[in-house]
Amino acid sequence: MKKIRFWLLTLFVFLMSSPVVFAAGEELFELKKGFKLVPAIIMIAFIVLYLAVGWMMKVQTTEGYWVAERNIGSVGNGMAIASDWMSAASFMGVAGLLYLKGWFGLAYIIGWTGGYVLLLTLSASQLRRFGKFTIPEFLGDRYNSHGIRLITAVVTVIIAITYSTAQFKGIALISGWIFGMGYAGSVFFAAGIVLVYMLMSGQKGVTKNQQIQYVVLITGFLLPLFIIFRKYASQLGTPGILPQIEYGSIISNYIANPSSDKYVAYYITPWAKGNFYQLFALATTLMIGTAGLPHILVRFYTVKDEDVARKSVVWGLFFIGLLYWSSPAYAALGHYFNPDGGKKVADVIILSAPERAGLGLFFMGYLASGALAAGLSTVAGLMVAGAAAIAHDWYATVFKPSSSEKERLFMARVFTAALVVIVIFTALKPPALIAQIVAMAFAIAGSAIFPAIILGVWYGKSNKYGAMAGMIVGLVGAVVAMIGWINKVPFFGPHGIMPATSSALILAPLNAIVNIIVSNATQEKLTEEDIHAANEVLKVMHNITE
């Protein structure tokens, strides 16, 4: 254990002392750059707090590392769900998309919140009754197939890498703004923080930190918003009491100004940035993607029973709604104070609005700390899910089931570090805006995992052959769409038939159809063991007693 800590500390020091840390990097943000003492002090204080909590909540068992010993309450788990969910994409990216796309950007809010309704009604209780540790484990047991387990683990890792890329991008933007670093240097700085933070915490420490981080991020998000509207009430033409409603007055004022036609088109014209099909495809993909994200689904395993799991979803949706209700107001402020910022401002519109408004460094520092908390909390959940997919579902279950508890914990930390290193390279050249990167991860989850889970819960005839075929179709299709998007293939582009960010509208039903057809065609190939294993899982999930 001492050797492990030594090498982790060495890696952390290397990341902190790398010569690229303060080098000129990719300029993805337009803010007043340079070291800011007060915000830096605030941010460092919160980082120290997170590390201290992680240290105090160190775990020595796999149950503590993967599912926080299953003793989290409904409100606490709801806060953790919200913190896990409200990533850099939500904190900064949604306002940025509304800033660029206006009315069309609401598809992100509709999709992400609507997904929790699917979780509440279709899978939350059933997954908790099943128990265990991970989604790959659930699917592997339900279909009695190591192949299903492994392909789900692969999908989980792909989602973790894709989703984390967006978080590192957001964290790096914040670090660069506070400490004056270049973009590349900020990525290494953020990686060092996340690495140490995660390896100490495990799911138990992560959950406790996420509860703290929710308070930080939601107050950091809302406090400057209320102050700006109050301070500039007369200038904005609003009472300055409830920004979530009053931002409409800003838009109305622009409508009365003939020089603001471009601004009005973004916000008032429903299809200025996309047609109905594109909006519906995006919202649907985000909805079912939410219900298929492993790092969100695993939160149902951290509570004691299905009743707490259901209540956790309701609390989580409430806490998430507080932020999404406010994002459009920030977008409107961004246009008011920085109307010509374009894409370079979109990812940091949350920061640019308070700075352009002239708020003090304390408020900007607290806001930056909230953004950092949003990114860190999500990365922590993703790294746990990704590491579990490899260390628990591949190494401990398939490759070496005889491994000891100590060995499994060691491998979990090794794979966590490996995932962080991989994400560094993807974050150094992100392919799209923060929220769009996340949408691609949702497309993978919705296309590959969601149909297998829903059919596994509600369709008794679904078997390992059908699930495998369907998941391969969904996964391959989503990855191809992502590659096509990056290489600017029109079919997979923003205005194509199957955009990478919206591909689940086509791929999820295709996955389900292939699953059902193949399952019905291969019933005779099932062994007694396959049938018995599936029936046992179904009995547990639906609380059936003989």
Side-chain angles (χ1 to χ4, degrees), residues 383-464:
M383 292 299 100
V384 168
I390 304 174
H392 178 70
D393 295 302
W394 177 73
Y395 181 83
T397 304
V398 178
F399 180 72
K400 195 175 181 181
S402 61
S403 56
S404 65
E405 187 87 353
K406 183 177 180 181
E407 186 178 356
R408 293 181 183 186
L409 276 176
F410 171 76
M411 294 307 297
R413 291 182 169 116
V414 168
F415 286 121
T416 300
L419 285 177
V420 171
V421 172
I422 293 172
V423 171
I424 288 175
F425 289 101
T426 58
L428 288 174
K429 194 175 180 180
L433 290 173
I434 291 175
Q436 289 173 332
I437 298 173
V438 171
M440 292 180 189
F442 279 74
I444 294 174
S447 301
I449 295 181
F450 174 76
I453 292 176
I454 298 305
L455 290 177
V457 172
W458 297 106
Y459 186 60
K461 291 184 178 181
S462 180
N463 63 37
K464 60 184 178 182

Side-chain angles (χ1 to χ4, degrees), residues 61 153 212 298 464:
T61 65
I212 298 172
V298 76
K464 60 184 178 182

Side-chain angles (χ1 to χ4, degrees), residues 78-386:
M79 294 177 72
I81 288 173
S83 185
D84 212 345
W85 178 258
M86 292 192 300
S87 59
S90 291
F91 198 93
M92 298 189 296
V94 172
L97 281 170
L98 292 170
Y99 174 82
L100 291 174
K101 298 178 181 295
W103 193 90
F104 186 81
L106 293 174
Y108 286 87
I109 295 178
I110 294 170
W112 281 334
T113 52
Y116 279 89
V117 178
L118 294 181
L119 284 175
L120 181 63
T121 57
L122 296 179
S123 61
S125 298
Q126 290 75 21
L127 289 176
R128 180 57 193 92
R129 288 194 195 109
F130 169 74
K132 301 295 180 73
F133 290 161
T134 68
I135 297 305
E137 187 172 22
F138 162 68
L139 291 176
D141 287 2
R142 164 61 179 85
Y143 295 110
N144 192 36
S145 169
H146 281 324
I148 296 291
R149 186 191 304 269
L150 292 177
I151 193 173
T152 309
V154 170
V155 174
T156 300
V157 172
I158 292 174
I159 291 171
I161 292 172
T162 306
Y163 209 157
S164 292
T165 296
Q167 311 320 312
F168 271 102
K169 183 180 177 183
I171 293 171
L173 290 171
I174 298 300
S175 302
W177 177 68
I178 293 293
F179 298 106
M181 301 176 185
Y183 179 76
S186 298
V187 171
F188 281 88
F189 174 75
I193 296 172
V194 171
L195 187 63
V196 175
Y197 168 82
M198 263 306 303
L199 294 177
M200 287 193 303
S201 297
Q203 186 69 274
K204 185 177 181 180
V206 166
T207 301
K208 296 299 181 184
N209 262 324
Q210 285 175 335
Q211 294 167 1
I212 298 172
Q213 287 163 344
Y214 174 76
V215 175
V216 176
L217 70 88
I218 198 63
T219 54
F221 193 88
L222 295 179
L223 187 59
L225 181 64
F226 277 93
I227 291 175
I228 292 173
F229 267 82
R230 187 64 178 173
K231 183 176 181 179
Y232 293 94
S234 59
Q235 185 177 338
L236 296 173
T238 66
I241 299 174
L242 193 60
Q244 292 83 352
I245 295 177
E246 295 171 14
Y247 79 90
S249 297
I250 302 177
I251 300 172
S252 298
N253 292 337
Y254 269 94
I255 294 175
N257 181 0
S259 65
S260 63
D261 290 343
K262 185 177 180 181
Y263 173 89
V264 172
Y266 276 79
Y267 273 78
I268 303 303
T269 307
W271 313 118
K273 286 293 182 178
N275 57 37
F276 174 78
Y277 171 78
Q278 291 162 350
L279 184 143
F280 181 75
L282 178 59
T284 301
T285 294
L286 297 178
M287 244 182 235
I288 61 180
T290 298
L293 283 176
H295 76 289
I296 297 296
L297 295 172
V298 76
R299 294 240 54 98
F300 303 138
Y301 294 147
T302 64
V303 298
K304 64 179 182 178
D305 56 41
E306 63 269 21
D307 181 59
V308 179
R310 285 194 300 269
K311 292 178 180 177
S312 295
V313 178
V314 176
W315 279 111
L317 186 56
F318 168 75
F319 291 134
I320 291 167
L322 292 179
L323 185 139
Y324 283 159
W325 193 30
S326 307
S327 293
Y330 262 117
L333 281 177
H335 264 284
Y336 185 86
F337 290 111
N338 196 355
D340 300 317
K343 291 183 179 181
K344 291 185 177 180
V345 169
D347 274 345
V348 290
I349 194 66
I350 300 298
L351 293 177
S352 66
E355 188 169 23
R356 297 285 178 173
L359 288 180
L361 287 176
F362 174 81
F363 292 110
M364 286 186 280
Y366 193 76
L367 179 67
S369 297
L372 179 71
L376 286 177
S377 61
T378 301
V379 168
L382 288 164
M383 292 299 100
V384 168

